[in-house]
Amino acid sequence: MNPPVRMCVRCCLITPDPVLVSEVHQGSGPGFNVYACPECAPHFPPVPDVLHLLAPGWRER
Ligand SMILES: [Zn+2]
């Protein structure tokens, strides 16, 4: 299932035009992508700290 809308990880609004800002690769499993709306996407650094907010325990394997 790949819905055309995503929640912006920065402002938490549903956007019909999501921008992929990061890919999270996990040791086991497919991982997941992080999306932002077009307005927030330019504000993301190459390695966004928001990943820690999105998945606080992803490093503790
Ligand atoms: Zn946004």
Side-chain angles (χ1 to χ4, degrees):
M1 181 177 179
N2 188 22
V5 297
R6 298 285 183 173
M7 187 182 76
C8 175
V9 73
R10 184 169 181 265
C11 64
C12 296
L13 293 179
I14 301 299
T15 173
D17 189 21
V19 179
L20 180 64
V21 294
S22 181
E23 294 184 28
V24 178
H25 296 286
Q26 298 174 323
S28 61
F32 57 94
N33 296 330
V34 179
Y35 291 90
C37 68
E39 293 184 7
C40 292
H43 297 280
F44 278 87
V47 182
D49 292 335
V50 73
L51 293 180
H52 299 285
L53 299 177
L54 190 67
W58 75 283
R59 282 183 157 186
E60 301 173 7
R61 296 178 51 230

